[in-house]
Amino acid sequence: MALAGETRHTATDVSDTNTVANNAIPSTTDARSTTGNLKGNLTRGPLIPTMLRFSIPYLITCFLQSCYELADLLIVGRFNSADSVSAVSTGSQMTHLVTVTIVGLTTGITVTISHAIGAGRMDKVQRQIGQSIRLFAIVAIIATVALVSCVNPLLRLLSIPSEAFNQAHDYVTICFLGTPFIVAYNVISAIFRGFGDSRHPMYFVALAGLLNVGLDLAFIGGAHMQASGAALATVISQAFSVAAALVYLNIANSGIRLRTTDLAYDWAGTRQILTIGTPIAIQELCIQVSFIVITAIANGRGLEISASVGIVEKIISFLFLVPSAMLSTVSVVAGQNAGARQHSRSKTALRYGITMCVAYGAIMCIASQIWGADIVRIFSPDDETVVRYGAQYLSSYSFDCILAGVHFCFSGFFSAYGKSMYTFAHNIISVLAVRIPGAYVASLLWPDNLFPMGCAAPLGSLLSILICSVLYYLRFSKRHPAVIADEQ
């Protein structure tokens, strides 16, 4: 069978979508026989329904992950005292840092596979899967050894209360020992997403979440294992999700037939994954650290302000699930169409993604202006001071729901074209130039009002949008069309 990658076009062909599609995309029959049940052809059909079919399961997956991460804290609080709650709360922050960094790194898998799928290059798909397995097996080993060795210094750095230190140590150690399962699950999910399949990761997370809640009740409520029981339940659930994914891949008609040669060292394939994934991983790590810094600034302004900022950060993280899902959607849709050399369709996906995010963000922002105090009161029903400060912070911060979705979509588009350094650059500049210094200056100038401090986030997003717009014009406009490098 002739490979789609054999058909070459110049950069100026980006507007000739029909010609590219006819030459670059395998027939429906070929696609089905090539990629089996994992197939999610995102290079055809109306774009909005296609994007929604991918983004909604991904959004549900993120929501389920947030819920079952919260289950540990809720169940520990139900059966144990404050020391256990503090241990799980602090420990989960550390494990979250590890998880988002790994997710960022596996973005390289999703993008390179989506390129190959769009081009009809199943040989390259299998080679990239083989390189992913080889690379991330090494990452898992190194990360596990390094993290477990650094548990004590990390806990001391976070100044965890002495009463909770031992339980936090047990919780974090057990979770870090489960790092191979975190890596394995995210590698498998990245492969699924590269194929355009966001449904099966949703199923695996749902099953793992149910198991996690059951094990929490058994280990914490029944066996009285405190924080270590929560950690053990989490690790077993993660292992189960990996096992379920592997069983599915074994019995499904996935079309993936790895050969020994696919697992052999290939620097070109490994470099592609690392070139795309490493900047995003570092970016995610830096962003999470910036949240911790801003939280530390709030902590220095008193208990009520600290509580208010903590509540609003949790609300915003929930509201940002939709822009995050659209980032991944734009990345995969644009990635497959980039591989098929349908650059006009990729750009249309970016425009649709931005439009949907802005519409969603506007609704959330208006709701926050009208019902901000009521939303914060759900988390702190008995402290009107916390509610007042929280409403101030949410009122200004909620404008970021509109703006962040724009640069999220740009980030997904840039990553799809292998330009993840653009994503890294605009996020880091925004964090260092506006978000952190803006929050700090606002805390000094307006110590009794959180509205100015909340403005730091949307102002940072405005800077990101400006940078992204300039980069898009210079590299992806019709005058300066983007060109995907020829297959290695």
Side-chain angles (χ1 to χ4, degrees):
M1 182 180 70
L3 297 177
E6 294 170 1
T7 302
R8 301 297 180 192
H9 299 273
T10 64
T12 55
D13 287 334
V14 294
S15 62
D16 193 1
T17 303
N18 292 331
T19 302
V20 175
N22 291 335
N23 288 302
I25 304 175
S27 68
T28 304
T29 304
D30 288 341
R32 186 180 298 113
S33 63
T34 302
T35 55
N37 292 339
L38 294 185
K39 183 63 183 177
N41 192 341
L42 308 178
T43 60
R44 294 193 184 117
L47 256 178
I48 291 181
T50 298
M51 294 174 72
L52 291 176
R53 279 196 300 270
F54 183 91
S55 63
I56 291 175
Y58 186 85
L59 173 62
I60 295 173
T61 300
C62 294
F63 176 75
L64 292 173
Q65 285 177 322
S66 298
C67 286
Y68 98 73
E69 287 171 0
L70 184 62
D72 283 351
L73 194 60
L74 292 175
I75 295 174
V76 164
R78 173 67 177 80
F79 292 100
N80 296 278
S81 57
D83 56 344
S84 297
V85 174
S86 177
V88 172
S89 176
T90 303
S92 62
Q93 287 181 342
M94 296 173 62
T95 55
H96 183 68
L97 280 174
V98 174
T99 301
V100 297
T101 303
I102 292 171
V103 170
L105 196 58
T106 58
T107 302
I109 301 174
T110 299
V111 172
T112 54
I113 288 178
S114 66
H115 280 181
I117 288 291
R121 290 287 306 273
M122 277 305 295
D123 60 327
K124 185 172 183 181
V125 170
Q126 294 179 170
R127 187 168 77 247
Q128 289 302 101
I129 292 174
Q131 294 310 300
S132 301
I133 293 171
R134 181 187 181 95
L135 171 63
F136 282 91
I138 297 172
V139 169
I141 294 171
I142 295 174
T144 302
V145 173
L147 290 169
V148 171
S149 302
C150 295
V151 170
N152 283 334
L154 289 172
L155 289 176
R156 293 192 182 96
L157 184 64
L158 291 175
S159 301
I160 186 168
S162 58
E163 299 87 347
F165 189 90
N166 289 336
Q167 286 197 59
H169 181 277
D170 294 341
Y171 180 89
V172 174
T173 300
I174 293 171
C175 287
F176 281 174
L177 287 172
T179 299
F181 300 121
I182 298 176
V183 173
Y185 171 75
N186 282 288
V187 168
I188 295 171
S189 294
I191 293 171
F192 274 104
R193 289 195 296 272
F195 277 86
D197 182 355
S198 60
R199 291 183 300 110
H200 284 95
M202 175 183 68
Y203 301 150
F204 304 143
V205 167
L207 292 173
L210 291 173
L211 177 61
N212 183 73
V213 171
L215 292 176
D216 273 342
L217 292 172
F219 293 158
I220 300 170
H224 307 291
M225 295 177 64
Q226 299 180 313
S228 61
L232 188 60
T234 298
V235 171
I236 293 175
S237 300
Q238 290 167 342
F240 173 79
S241 65
V242 172
L246 292 175
V247 168
Y248 173 78
L249 287 173
N250 187 51
I251 64 176
N253 177 26
S254 64
I256 300 173
R257 299 292 181 267
L258 290 183
R259 304 156 296 182
T260 304
T261 54
D262 294 325
L263 295 170
Y265 178 70
D266 174 18
W267 169 239
T270 301
R271 182 186 62 193
Q272 286 181 325
I273 295 171
L274 290 175
T275 299
I276 296 170
T278 301
I280 296 178
I282 297 173
Q283 161 206 307
E284 290 295 332
L285 181 62
C286 292
I287 289 174
Q288 294 302 316
V289 170
S290 75
F291 288 152
I292 294 175
V293 172
I294 292 173
T295 300
I297 294 172
N299 289 343
R301 297 178 64 180
L303 182 61
E304 289 84 3
I305 289 181
S306 174
S308 301
V309 170
I311 289 170
V312 172
E313 292 287 357
K314 285 182 172 58
I315 294 170
I316 291 295
S317 67
F318 179 78
L319 296 179
F320 272 27
L321 291 178
V322 170
S324 296
M326 194 54 62
L327 183 157
S328 182
T329 301
V330 171
S331 178
V332 175
V333 173
Q336 284 200 13
N337 284 281
R341 298 185 179 273
Q342 297 189 96
H343 302 302
S344 294
R345 186 174 169 90
S346 296
K347 294 177 183 180
T348 303
L350 171 63
R351 290 195 297 271
Y352 286 167
I354 290 175
T355 302
M356 286 187 275
C357 282
V358 169
Y360 162 82
I363 294 171
M364 293 301 103
C365 182
I366 293 171
S368 297
Q369 306 307 312
I370 299 173
W371 299 295
D374 295 324
I375 295 170
V376 176
R377 192 173 286 112
I378 295 172
F379 297 88
S380 182
D382 301 323
D383 194 329
E384 283 302 311
T385 302
V386 170
V387 172
R388 177 168 57 86
Y389 280 131
Q392 293 171 356
Y393 193 51
L394 181 59
S395 179
S396 54
Y397 204 150
S398 61
F399 284 96
D400 203 30
C401 293
I402 302 173
L403 301 172
V406 178
H407 68 78
F408 274 33
C409 290
F410 272 119
S411 293
F413 182 84
F414 292 151
S415 297
Y417 277 83
K419 303 296 183 182
S420 55
M421 279 302 298
Y422 293 178
T423 300
F424 171 80
H426 81 75
N427 276 291
I428 296 303
I429 292 172
S430 169
V431 166
L432 296 180
V434 178
R435 290 178 186 264
I436 291 178
Y440 179 71
V441 171
S443 69
L444 295 178
L445 298 179
W446 295 278
D448 297 321
N449 192 334
L450 284 184
F451 185 92
M453 183 174 172
C455 292
L459 289 175
S461 288
L462 276 176
L463 177 59
S464 282
I465 292 171
L466 177 62
I467 296 172
C468 289
S469 299
V470 170
L471 290 172
Y472 180 82
Y473 174 76
L474 293 176
R475 297 303 304 272
F476 296 93
S477 67
K478 290 183 179 179
R479 183 177 298 176
H480 304 282
V483 179
I484 299 298
D486 289 345
E487 301 291 329
Q488 297 290 335

